[in-house]
Amino acid sequence: MKHRSTSEFCCAHAPMALGLAALSHPARIEILRHLSGLDASCCKDVVGHLRLAQSTVSQHLKVLVEAGLLRMRPERQSSRYEVDVEALKALSDVLAELADACAAARTRSDAASEGHLNG
Amino acid sequence: MKHRSTSEFCCAHAPMALGLAALSHPARIEILRHLSGLDASCCKDVVGHLRLAQSTVSQHLKVLVEAGLLRMRPERQSSRYEVDVEALKALSDVLAELADACAAARTRSDAASEGHLNG
DNA sequence: ATCGTTTATCGGCGATATACGATGAAGATC
DNA sequence: GATCTTCATCGTATATCGCCGATAAACGAT
């Protein structure tokens, strides 16, 4: 997840890669889904929902917070975790842009080869 | 990237997680962008674009192929790699659905608290 | 003050990811 | 046939991940 790659594209795509990495685990996807249903929730609640050790869940929550996809209020007794809907939407949009760019490029090249080869 | 987690949600979210994991590296994002510009391209071309060893690039391409985001025709001399636009769009849509679900849940809960608390 | 609850962090283990060089296979070129 | 190019794979080294148990910190209740 942490890379010290070689070129400028690394810096350019690093935020997107970090966000997607945070979502590249079934447990973390499920955490987002679970937390979206409720208003805000604590770690213990997530532990009850998933079948993972408390320390493991705490780690997953930390990953999501560091990726900016969750916000947390550290109320020492029972911290509240909440989905950052804007950040999630932003990440989704970036991926959608990539998909659209690829689709547009293909459409363009299809049109070109039709124009050149006439079918 | 390969997890043998505990519950049913793992299987449910595994495909999404696998796809996002494939995109969770700047080099692989850049590979998709690069390949979308061209029609189809070979490994050497990608090696020239990125500043990574040929073996490393070959690995990244393999990851993308195994995730279904790239198609490859193994022409032994110079294999052709091509973006699977449909697969990429599908993955983007799944993430968009997750984001929308979270947004919808928040909107609903906002409306509820407004109704209860009158602001 | 003591106990119970909840959470975050530490340390360790096994598995995986990332990167590279070296090697071998397959086609092209001379 | 000899050589070059291109690519996939192997082997290796290092770093990170994912998981857990154990522990410490913070708060509430008794």
Side-chain angles (χ1 to χ4, degrees), chain A residues 2 9 11 14 18 25 27-29 43 45 53 57 59 63-64 66 69 74 81 88 97 107 109 111-112 118:
Chain A
K2 288 297 186 313
F9 70 84
C11 306
L18 267 289
H25 193 289
R28 292 197 287 266
I29 296 174
C43 178
D45 177 50
V57 171
Q59 285 281 2
V63 170
L64 287 168
E66 285 176 346
L69 298 175
Y81 288 92
L88 184 57
E97 281 172 28
T107 304
S109 103
N118 189 25

PDB file of all heavy atoms in Angstrom, chain A residues 2 9 11 14 18 25 27-29 43 45 53 57 59 63-64 66 69 74 81 88 97 107 109 111-112 118:
ATOM      1  N   LYS A   2       1.973   1.184   0.669  1.00  0.00           N
ATOM      2  CA  LYS A   2       2.901   2.302   0.575  1.00  0.00           C
ATOM      3  C   LYS A   2       3.954   1.960  -0.478  1.00  0.00           C
ATOM      4  O   LYS A   2       4.649   0.969  -0.373  1.00  0.00           O
ATOM      5  CB  LYS A   2       3.592   2.550   1.918  1.00  0.00           C
ATOM      6  CG  LYS A   2       2.701   3.150   2.972  1.00  0.00           C
ATOM      7  CD  LYS A   2       2.211   4.529   2.584  1.00  0.00           C
ATOM      8  CE  LYS A   2       1.451   5.178   3.701  1.00  0.00           C
ATOM      9  NZ  LYS A   2       0.456   4.291   4.299  1.00  0.00           N
ATOM     10  N   PHE A   9       3.734  10.107 -12.217  1.00  0.00           N
ATOM     11  CA  PHE A   9       2.379   9.569 -12.175  1.00  0.00           C
ATOM     12  C   PHE A   9       2.067   8.968 -10.813  1.00  0.00           C
ATOM     13  O   PHE A   9       0.913   8.926 -10.401  1.00  0.00           O
ATOM     14  CB  PHE A   9       2.186   8.502 -13.262  1.00  0.00           C
ATOM     15  CG  PHE A   9       2.953   7.247 -12.986  1.00  0.00           C
ATOM     16  CD1 PHE A   9       2.421   6.276 -12.149  1.00  0.00           C
ATOM     17  CD2 PHE A   9       4.184   7.037 -13.545  1.00  0.00           C
ATOM     18  CE1 PHE A   9       3.128   5.118 -11.879  1.00  0.00           C
ATOM     19  CE2 PHE A   9       4.890   5.890 -13.285  1.00  0.00           C
ATOM     20  CZ  PHE A   9       4.370   4.938 -12.446  1.00  0.00           C
ATOM     21  N   CYS A  11       2.805  10.199  -7.869  1.00  0.00           N
ATOM     22  CA  CYS A  11       2.234  11.266  -7.050  1.00  0.00           C
ATOM     23  C   CYS A  11       0.860  11.651  -7.559  1.00  0.00           C
ATOM     24  O   CYS A  11      -0.057  11.921  -6.772  1.00  0.00           O
ATOM     25  CB  CYS A  11       3.164  12.473  -7.050  1.00  0.00           C
ATOM     26  SG  CYS A  11       4.854  12.068  -6.565  1.00  0.00           S
ATOM     27  N   ALA A  14      -1.531   8.829  -6.570  1.00  0.00           N
ATOM     28  CA  ALA A  14      -1.411   8.299  -5.214  1.00  0.00           C
ATOM     29  C   ALA A  14      -2.687   8.473  -4.392  1.00  0.00           C
ATOM     30  O   ALA A  14      -3.126   7.515  -3.742  1.00  0.00           O
ATOM     31  CB  ALA A  14      -0.214   8.932  -4.505  1.00  0.00           C
ATOM     32  N   LEU A  18      -4.640   5.330  -2.860  1.00  0.00           N
ATOM     33  CA  LEU A  18      -4.823   5.166  -1.416  1.00  0.00           C
ATOM     34  C   LEU A  18      -6.290   4.942  -1.064  1.00  0.00           C
ATOM     35  O   LEU A  18      -6.626   4.078  -0.237  1.00  0.00           O
ATOM     36  CB  LEU A  18      -4.299   6.396  -0.684  1.00  0.00           C
ATOM     37  CG  LEU A  18      -2.854   6.378  -0.193  1.00  0.00           C
ATOM     38  CD1 LEU A  18      -2.706   5.410   0.972  1.00  0.00           C
ATOM     39  CD2 LEU A  18      -1.872   6.045  -1.296  1.00  0.00           C
ATOM     40  N   HIS A  25     -10.913  -4.274   0.546  1.00  0.00           N
ATOM     41  CA  HIS A  25     -11.043  -5.373   1.497  1.00  0.00           C
ATOM     42  C   HIS A  25     -12.525  -5.546   1.857  1.00  0.00           C
ATOM     43  O   HIS A  25     -13.189  -4.567   2.214  1.00  0.00           O
ATOM     44  CB  HIS A  25     -10.227  -5.087   2.755  1.00  0.00           C
ATOM     45  CG  HIS A  25     -10.073  -6.290   3.625  1.00  0.00           C
ATOM     46  ND1 HIS A  25     -11.120  -6.826   4.340  1.00  0.00           N
ATOM     47  CD2 HIS A  25      -9.005  -7.081   3.863  1.00  0.00           C
ATOM     48  CE1 HIS A  25     -10.684  -7.893   4.996  1.00  0.00           C
ATOM     49  NE2 HIS A  25      -9.416  -8.075   4.717  1.00  0.00           N
ATOM     50  N   ALA A  27     -14.098  -6.675   4.350  1.00  0.00           N
ATOM     51  CA  ALA A  27     -14.519  -6.228   5.679  1.00  0.00           C
ATOM     52  C   ALA A  27     -14.738  -4.719   5.696  1.00  0.00           C
ATOM     53  O   ALA A  27     -15.700  -4.230   6.297  1.00  0.00           O
ATOM     54  CB  ALA A  27     -13.474  -6.628   6.713  1.00  0.00           C
ATOM     55  N   ARG A  28     -13.866  -3.988   5.033  1.00  0.00           N
ATOM     56  CA  ARG A  28     -13.990  -2.528   5.061  1.00  0.00           C
ATOM     57  C   ARG A  28     -15.171  -2.068   4.222  1.00  0.00           C
ATOM     58  O   ARG A  28     -15.844  -1.079   4.553  1.00  0.00           O
ATOM     59  CB  ARG A  28     -12.677  -1.892   4.606  1.00  0.00           C
ATOM     60  CG  ARG A  28     -11.561  -2.129   5.608  1.00  0.00           C
ATOM     61  CD  ARG A  28     -10.383  -1.205   5.411  1.00  0.00           C
ATOM     62  NE  ARG A  28      -9.580  -1.511   4.244  1.00  0.00           N
ATOM     63  CZ  ARG A  28      -8.491  -2.286   4.278  1.00  0.00           C
ATOM     64  NH1 ARG A  28      -8.089  -2.818   5.409  1.00  0.00           N
ATOM     65  NH2 ARG A  28      -7.801  -2.515   3.184  1.00  0.00           N
ATOM     66  N   ILE A  29     -15.437  -2.756   3.133  1.00  0.00           N
ATOM     67  CA  ILE A  29     -16.635  -2.438   2.355  1.00  0.00           C
ATOM     68  C   ILE A  29     -17.870  -2.658   3.216  1.00  0.00           C
ATOM     69  O   ILE A  29     -18.781  -1.816   3.261  1.00  0.00           O
ATOM     70  CB  ILE A  29     -16.693  -3.304   1.079  1.00  0.00           C
ATOM     71  CG1 ILE A  29     -15.514  -2.965   0.153  1.00  0.00           C
ATOM     72  CG2 ILE A  29     -18.011  -3.110   0.351  1.00  0.00           C
ATOM     73  CD1 ILE A  29     -15.420  -3.869  -1.066  1.00  0.00           C
ATOM     74  N   CYS A  43     -17.139   1.178  17.747  1.00  0.00           N
ATOM     75  CA  CYS A  43     -16.345   0.031  17.345  1.00  0.00           C
ATOM     76  C   CYS A  43     -17.016  -1.275  17.773  1.00  0.00           C
ATOM     77  O   CYS A  43     -17.098  -2.226  16.996  1.00  0.00           O
ATOM     78  CB  CYS A  43     -14.957   0.158  17.947  1.00  0.00           C
ATOM     79  SG  CYS A  43     -13.856  -1.226  17.592  1.00  0.00           S
ATOM     80  N   ASP A  45     -20.025  -2.011  18.124  1.00  0.00           N
ATOM     81  CA  ASP A  45     -21.152  -2.341  17.265  1.00  0.00           C
ATOM     82  C   ASP A  45     -20.680  -3.031  15.991  1.00  0.00           C
ATOM     83  O   ASP A  45     -21.275  -4.006  15.537  1.00  0.00           O
ATOM     84  CB  ASP A  45     -21.924  -1.059  16.937  1.00  0.00           C
ATOM     85  CG  ASP A  45     -23.068  -1.343  15.990  1.00  0.00           C
ATOM     86  OD1 ASP A  45     -23.832  -2.270  16.275  1.00  0.00           O
ATOM     87  OD2 ASP A  45     -23.174  -0.645  14.963  1.00  0.00           O
ATOM     88  N   ALA A  53     -11.986 -10.053  15.455  1.00  0.00           N
ATOM     89  CA  ALA A  53     -11.553  -9.590  16.769  1.00  0.00           C
ATOM     90  C   ALA A  53     -11.655  -8.080  16.854  1.00  0.00           C
ATOM     91  O   ALA A  53     -11.567  -7.367  15.848  1.00  0.00           O
ATOM     92  CB  ALA A  53     -10.123 -10.043  17.025  1.00  0.00           C
ATOM     93  N   VAL A  57     -10.932  -5.107  13.958  1.00  0.00           N
ATOM     94  CA  VAL A  57     -11.906  -4.113  13.516  1.00  0.00           C
ATOM     95  C   VAL A  57     -11.361  -2.708  13.738  1.00  0.00           C
ATOM     96  O   VAL A  57     -11.517  -1.825  12.885  1.00  0.00           O
ATOM     97  CB  VAL A  57     -13.234  -4.300  14.270  1.00  0.00           C
ATOM     98  CG1 VAL A  57     -14.180  -3.148  13.978  1.00  0.00           C
ATOM     99  CG2 VAL A  57     -13.867  -5.624  13.889  1.00  0.00           C
ATOM    100  N   GLN A  59      -8.363  -1.781  13.638  1.00  0.00           N
ATOM    101  CA  GLN A  59      -7.403  -1.520  12.562  1.00  0.00           C
ATOM    102  C   GLN A  59      -8.108  -1.121  11.271  1.00  0.00           C
ATOM    103  O   GLN A  59      -7.720  -0.157  10.607  1.00  0.00           O
ATOM    104  CB  GLN A  59      -6.560  -2.776  12.304  1.00  0.00           C
ATOM    105  CG  GLN A  59      -5.502  -3.031  13.352  1.00  0.00           C
ATOM    106  CD  GLN A  59      -4.272  -2.163  13.165  1.00  0.00           C
ATOM    107  OE1 GLN A  59      -4.217  -1.337  12.262  1.00  0.00           O
ATOM    108  NE2 GLN A  59      -3.301  -2.360  14.033  1.00  0.00           N
ATOM    109  N   VAL A  63      -7.787   2.364   9.133  1.00  0.00           N
ATOM    110  CA  VAL A  63      -7.453   2.479   7.713  1.00  0.00           C
ATOM    111  C   VAL A  63      -8.458   3.371   7.004  1.00  0.00           C
ATOM    112  O   VAL A  63      -8.087   4.255   6.213  1.00  0.00           O
ATOM    113  CB  VAL A  63      -7.414   1.078   7.060  1.00  0.00           C
ATOM    114  CG1 VAL A  63      -7.308   1.187   5.552  1.00  0.00           C
ATOM    115  CG2 VAL A  63      -6.251   0.271   7.613  1.00  0.00           C
ATOM    116  N   LEU A  64      -9.729   3.167   7.287  1.00  0.00           N
ATOM    117  CA  LEU A  64     -10.765   3.958   6.628  1.00  0.00           C
ATOM    118  C   LEU A  64     -10.697   5.419   7.045  1.00  0.00           C
ATOM    119  O   LEU A  64     -10.936   6.317   6.235  1.00  0.00           O
ATOM    120  CB  LEU A  64     -12.141   3.360   6.948  1.00  0.00           C
ATOM    121  CG  LEU A  64     -12.435   2.039   6.233  1.00  0.00           C
ATOM    122  CD1 LEU A  64     -13.665   1.363   6.816  1.00  0.00           C
ATOM    123  CD2 LEU A  64     -12.618   2.256   4.736  1.00  0.00           C
ATOM    124  N   GLU A  66      -7.951   7.006   8.030  1.00  0.00           N
ATOM    125  CA  GLU A  66      -6.755   7.599   7.424  1.00  0.00           C
ATOM    126  C   GLU A  66      -6.944   7.842   5.932  1.00  0.00           C
ATOM    127  O   GLU A  66      -6.317   8.721   5.360  1.00  0.00           O
ATOM    128  CB  GLU A  66      -5.542   6.681   7.662  1.00  0.00           C
ATOM    129  CG  GLU A  66      -5.040   6.769   9.099  1.00  0.00           C
ATOM    130  CD  GLU A  66      -3.901   5.793   9.365  1.00  0.00           C
ATOM    131  OE1 GLU A  66      -3.680   4.891   8.541  1.00  0.00           O
ATOM    132  OE2 GLU A  66      -3.245   5.935  10.424  1.00  0.00           O
ATOM    133  N   LEU A  69     -12.274   8.268   4.469  1.00  0.00           N
ATOM    134  CA  LEU A  69     -13.619   7.788   4.136  1.00  0.00           C
ATOM    135  C   LEU A  69     -14.524   7.712   5.360  1.00  0.00           C
ATOM    136  O   LEU A  69     -15.740   7.631   5.224  1.00  0.00           O
ATOM    137  CB  LEU A  69     -13.527   6.412   3.469  1.00  0.00           C
ATOM    138  CG  LEU A  69     -12.751   6.416   2.145  1.00  0.00           C
ATOM    139  CD1 LEU A  69     -12.602   5.008   1.609  1.00  0.00           C
ATOM    140  CD2 LEU A  69     -13.456   7.303   1.127  1.00  0.00           C
ATOM    141  N   PRO A  74     -13.505  11.075  18.759  1.00  0.00           N
ATOM    142  CA  PRO A  74     -12.929  10.196  19.779  1.00  0.00           C
ATOM    143  C   PRO A  74     -13.522  10.434  21.154  1.00  0.00           C
ATOM    144  O   PRO A  74     -12.852  10.916  22.061  1.00  0.00           O
ATOM    145  CB  PRO A  74     -11.442  10.540  19.738  1.00  0.00           C
ATOM    146  CG  PRO A  74     -11.405  11.962  19.315  1.00  0.00           C
ATOM    147  CD  PRO A  74     -12.589  12.157  18.408  1.00  0.00           C
ATOM    148  N   TYR A  81     -18.136   6.569  14.831  1.00  0.00           N
ATOM    149  CA  TYR A  81     -17.634   6.530  13.458  1.00  0.00           C
ATOM    150  C   TYR A  81     -18.772   6.842  12.505  1.00  0.00           C
ATOM    151  O   TYR A  81     -19.897   6.368  12.690  1.00  0.00           O
ATOM    152  CB  TYR A  81     -17.050   5.160  13.132  1.00  0.00           C
ATOM    153  CG  TYR A  81     -15.741   4.900  13.830  1.00  0.00           C
ATOM    154  CD1 TYR A  81     -15.690   4.271  15.059  1.00  0.00           C
ATOM    155  CD2 TYR A  81     -14.554   5.320  13.257  1.00  0.00           C
ATOM    156  CE1 TYR A  81     -14.483   4.039  15.695  1.00  0.00           C
ATOM    157  CE2 TYR A  81     -13.338   5.095  13.878  1.00  0.00           C
ATOM    158  CZ  TYR A  81     -13.310   4.453  15.101  1.00  0.00           C
ATOM    159  OH  TYR A  81     -12.121   4.236  15.718  1.00  0.00           O
ATOM    160  N   LEU A  88     -16.401   9.772  -0.063  1.00  0.00           N
ATOM    161  CA  LEU A  88     -16.715   8.541  -0.790  1.00  0.00           C
ATOM    162  C   LEU A  88     -17.217   8.854  -2.191  1.00  0.00           C
ATOM    163  O   LEU A  88     -16.827   8.206  -3.174  1.00  0.00           O
ATOM    164  CB  LEU A  88     -17.763   7.746  -0.003  1.00  0.00           C
ATOM    165  CG  LEU A  88     -18.136   6.384  -0.560  1.00  0.00           C
ATOM    166  CD1 LEU A  88     -16.907   5.497  -0.700  1.00  0.00           C
ATOM    167  CD2 LEU A  88     -19.171   5.705   0.331  1.00  0.00           C
ATOM    168  N   GLU A  97     -14.563   8.839 -13.686  1.00  0.00           N
ATOM    169  CA  GLU A  97     -13.859   9.608 -14.713  1.00  0.00           C
ATOM    170  C   GLU A  97     -12.886   8.741 -15.486  1.00  0.00           C
ATOM    171  O   GLU A  97     -12.769   8.822 -16.710  1.00  0.00           O
ATOM    172  CB  GLU A  97     -13.099  10.767 -14.069  1.00  0.00           C
ATOM    173  CG  GLU A  97     -13.967  11.955 -13.710  1.00  0.00           C
ATOM    174  CD  GLU A  97     -13.180  12.978 -12.900  1.00  0.00           C
ATOM    175  OE1 GLU A  97     -11.950  13.054 -13.068  1.00  0.00           O
ATOM    176  OE2 GLU A  97     -13.808  13.678 -12.068  1.00  0.00           O
ATOM    177  N   THR A 107     -14.384   4.686 -27.976  1.00  0.00           N
ATOM    178  CA  THR A 107     -15.362   5.155 -28.955  1.00  0.00           C
ATOM    179  C   THR A 107     -14.682   5.934 -30.070  1.00  0.00           C
ATOM    180  O   THR A 107     -14.967   5.750 -31.252  1.00  0.00           O
ATOM    181  CB  THR A 107     -16.399   6.062 -28.258  1.00  0.00           C
ATOM    182  OG1 THR A 107     -16.987   5.327 -27.192  1.00  0.00           O
ATOM    183  CG2 THR A 107     -17.454   6.523 -29.228  1.00  0.00           C
ATOM    184  N   SER A 109     -11.591   5.681 -31.071  1.00  0.00           N
ATOM    185  CA  SER A 109     -10.784   4.844 -31.945  1.00  0.00           C
ATOM    186  C   SER A 109     -11.679   3.961 -32.816  1.00  0.00           C
ATOM    187  O   SER A 109     -11.344   3.646 -33.954  1.00  0.00           O
ATOM    188  CB  SER A 109      -9.826   3.992 -31.117  1.00  0.00           C
ATOM    189  OG  SER A 109     -10.280   2.668 -31.015  1.00  0.00           O
ATOM    190  N   ALA A 111     -14.580   4.912 -34.019  1.00  0.00           N
ATOM    191  CA  ALA A 111     -15.024   5.798 -35.088  1.00  0.00           C
ATOM    192  C   ALA A 111     -13.922   5.986 -36.118  1.00  0.00           C
ATOM    193  O   ALA A 111     -14.163   5.970 -37.327  1.00  0.00           O
ATOM    194  CB  ALA A 111     -15.441   7.151 -34.503  1.00  0.00           C
ATOM    195  N   ALA A 112     -12.703   6.123 -35.637  1.00  0.00           N
ATOM    196  CA  ALA A 112     -11.583   6.335 -36.550  1.00  0.00           C
ATOM    197  C   ALA A 112     -11.415   5.139 -37.477  1.00  0.00           C
ATOM    198  O   ALA A 112     -11.279   5.296 -38.692  1.00  0.00           O
ATOM    199  CB  ALA A 112     -10.297   6.579 -35.745  1.00  0.00           C
ATOM    200  N   ASN A 118     -13.885   1.879 -43.407  1.00  0.00           N
ATOM    201  CA  ASN A 118     -15.257   1.785 -43.872  1.00  0.00           C
ATOM    202  C   ASN A 118     -15.905   0.503 -43.362  1.00  0.00           C
ATOM    203  O   ASN A 118     -16.404  -0.321 -44.124  1.00  0.00           O
ATOM    204  CB  ASN A 118     -15.291   1.857 -45.402  1.00  0.00           C
ATOM    205  CG  ASN A 118     -16.722   1.988 -45.895  1.00  0.00           C
ATOM    206  OD1 ASN A 118     -17.574   2.463 -45.162  1.00  0.00           O
ATOM    207  ND2 ASN A 118     -16.969   1.582 -47.133  1.00  0.00           N
TER     208      ASN A 118
END
